[in-house]
Amino acid sequence: MTKKQGGRPRAHSIGSVFKYLAINIVAVLWLIPVYAMIINGFKGDLAVTSTPVLVPPTSPTLSPYQAVISALTRPIFNSLIVAVLGSIIATVLGSMGAYFFYSLSTSWRKTLTVLSDAGFAVIAMGTFIPYQSTIIPLTKLIVSLNALDTYVGLILAMLVFYVPTAALLMSIFFAVVPKSVVEAARIDSASELKILFRVVLPLALPGFISTFIFVLIQTWNNFFIPLVLTTTPNMRLVPVAIQAYTGGYGTLYNESFAVAVLGSLVPLVIFVFLGRYFIRGLMALGAGKGV
Amino acid sequence: MTKISVVNVDKTFRKRGKEVHALRGVNLEIGDTESFGILGPSGAGKTTLMRIIAGLEVPTRGEVYFDEELVSADGAIVVPPQERNIGMVFQTWALYPNMTAYDNIAFPLRNTKQKAGDIARRVEEVAEKLEIGHILDRRPSEISGGQQQRVALARALVKSPSVLLLDEPFSNLDAKVRDSARALVRKIQRDLRITTVLVSHDPADIFANSERVGVVFDGRLVQVGPPSEVYNSPVSIGVAKLIGDINDFECVSEGNTLRYGGFTLPLDRNMSGKVVVGIRPENLRVGRGPNEEADWVFLGKAVVQVSSYMGGVYKILVSTPDHQDETLALISERPYQVGEEVNVYARKGGIMVFP
């Protein structure tokens, strides 16, 4: 961004040098914990306590990984089922909810638009409630459904919190879908469900995938819900399993770090494969992109 | 196949807490199989009027009838758009970008649960009529603007609607394709005998397609009639300017003459006070010698200020030597030199006067 047209290209390059410098500093700050997590996972039991955290291991070893891998396969499997299924269901239901409010808000009936605004405000407020404060009634609900310590119970509990989040996000993405396309589909006698799945969602696909990734990372990282709603080690999810390595009498730091690396691999892989949609979804909003 | 009646329709929007009157007391009857145009400057309310006919907007007051059936009433949509049997082409065409042209056209038929064989036959029939049979497997992003418009038209026509609504259908086409698109729409409308409503700000669209035109200004329907009648006898200078090029100026009338920039304009009646005058360029003529034709009257001597070539004809601006800012524009088949002295004539009956 040159400040003066045609003049002083040097000012331009100094500006970008500072910009890149700032970006790099932020990136380094962000990467330090990741770096620490990776190198300390390769340290032996003695080395991890005797060398500073940021100093790489002199004789790297895979023993921490070997020690934790078998204990972690079950939690990773559990987390995959709960997070992936939960996120898909939350994003689909959230999209349906968002479309419901979109339809209401574009209705010619004034009462419906008011209802839409009110309902949407309630949902938006709901997403601000810290889920820890509702955990006791939620646990009671899951127990009464006979779903404590089951996948169904965990997914249900996740849905309670992440369907509104997905609805909120999807309604932002639906707002940029051209209104005329929806109207055309209505004139063409398409049912509301068909308009959503054949017209609106395909147009908001990058947004749908962004929402899915966001919800997936949230559910994958959620610690409190699986801590309370699982009772047997077999049903543990990854965040709870990682926490189990931090004992009351002592912590095996190298194994904790190895577990943390393994636990973050799945969301990382998903992000790598779907990340460009995440960016595209965000760009669609920024540019106010039409068709 | 359907007569449309718009009765006393008002439409108000609330914009930033302010009431905006988009339509005021619109009464309109569009005959069965008629091709009707709605002309107006942008923001006049013409698209709102079409959307009320379509059922996409609700009238604040007033009623809309399709034949004798009430479809919209005061603040309510009685028959929703999907049950009005309308086909609509949107200004942006509103094609489904994730579907091929074929699927776009077949979409309305699939929603009515017809047999696959019948759908294929019908889509191909319409595609052939609109000459888009060869692009049916492509997506909207892979075809040209003109083809997209045809796909949108095909989608609107495929369900054999009784009313066809066209919202500025030609404004997104480049000039070359526009003429053929206009001709195509007119041909389809004539062949299929569908009641058609076309909204446009461009009089050329209306002249090419509409048997009658309604002019909307500031939410009011100010004139309805055949396009040529509106062109030749507009009710106001605003309508006159909207529907074609015109020289317009204010002047003071004295008895049965008007004076403007050194020209003397005869009137066919006595008037007094300030008036607005409009003369279409084709009702003015310049010449080097005298003009003996009976229906042309002499306005005065003038000097050519600008003469520009416009492909076959010349656009000429003239003024009297003493009033160089008060010019008249006209079309001439012959070139004139700038600074050349000419006689200016106007066609009798070609001088429009608005009080």
Side-chain angles (χ1 to χ4, degrees), chain A residues 155-178:
Chain A
I155 290 174
L156 262 180
M158 297 288 190
L159 291 183
V160 168
F161 297 104
Y162 295 115
V163 169
T165 307
L168 201 65
L169 284 173
M170 284 312 294
S171 64
I172 302 170
F173 290 107
F174 285 169
V176 289
V177 169

Side-chain angles (χ1 to χ4, degrees), chain A residues 106 108-109 179-191 194-195 197-199 202-203 291, chain B residues 51 56 58 75-77 81-82 86 88 90 92 94-99 107-108 110-111 155 159:
Chain A
T106 53
W108 58 270
R109 288 178 210 269
K179 201 174 146 202
S180 59
V181 180
V182 179
E183 287 174 343
R186 250 178 222 154
I187 288 177
D188 288 345
S189 310
S191 64
K194 191 166 182 182
I195 296 177
F197 285 111
R198 295 279 288 131
V199 178
L203 279 177
V291 183
Chain B
R51 289 173 59 83
L56 295 170
V58 59
I77 286 174
Q82 60 270 30
I86 51 175
M88 185 159 171
F90 290 80
T92 53
L95 293 175
Y96 312 123
N98 52 313
M99 299 182 203
F107 192 76
R110 286 185 179 142
N111 295 329
R155 185 180 64 182
K159 55 183 172 180

Side-chain angles (χ1 to χ4, degrees), chain A residues 23-227:
Chain A
I23 290 171
N24 279 311
I25 290 172
V26 173
V28 167
L29 286 175
W30 187 83
L31 282 171
I32 284 174
V34 181
Y35 163 78
M37 176 173 87
I38 292 169
I39 58 159
N40 285 289
F42 290 105
K43 287 180 184 171
D45 291 348
L46 184 65
V48 78
T49 47
S50 59
T51 53
V53 172
L54 293 181
V55 174
T58 42
S59 49
T61 164
L62 275 175
S63 62
Y65 282 90
Q66 284 157 352
V68 299
I69 190 88
S70 61
L72 206 62
T73 34
R74 182 75 199 184
I76 286 181
F77 177 74
N78 291 343
S79 269
L80 265 177
I81 288 182
V82 172
V84 173
L85 272 182
S87 308
I88 290 174
I89 299 171
T91 315
V92 171
L93 287 182
S95 302
M96 292 170 82
Y99 183 69
F100 174 69
F101 285 109
Y102 173 86
S103 299
L104 286 191
S105 67
T106 53
S107 164
W108 58 270
R109 288 178 210 269
K110 278 220 175 80
T111 42
L112 289 188
T113 53
V114 172
L115 194 71
S116 158
D117 290 347
F120 198 75
V122 169
I123 286 195
M125 280 194 301
T127 59
F128 292 119
I129 296 174
Y131 61 85
Q132 291 86 344
S133 65
T134 58
I135 204 83
I136 292 173
L138 181 70
T139 313
K140 272 182 144 176
L141 175 75
I142 299 295
V143 169
S144 69
L145 291 172
N146 249 347
L148 192 71
D149 207 32
T150 63
Y151 293 135
V152 175
L154 283 168
I155 290 174
L156 262 180
M158 297 288 190
L159 291 183
V160 168
F161 297 104
Y162 295 115
V163 169
T165 307
L168 201 65
L169 284 173
M170 284 312 294
S171 64
I172 302 170
F173 290 107
F174 285 169
V176 289
V177 169
K179 201 174 146 202
S180 59
V181 180
V182 179
E183 287 174 343
R186 250 178 222 154
I187 288 177
D188 288 345
S189 310
S191 64
E192 291 297 320
L193 215 57
K194 191 166 182 182
I195 296 177
L196 170 63
F197 285 111
R198 295 279 288 131
V199 178
V200 175
L201 263 191
L203 279 177
L205 189 66
F208 182 84
I209 293 173
S210 299
T211 305
F212 170 73
I213 293 175
F214 181 80
V215 174
L216 182 84
I217 291 171
Q218 294 290 314
T219 43
W220 186 274
N221 287 342
N222 194 301
F223 170 73
F224 210 52
I225 293 174
L227 179 73

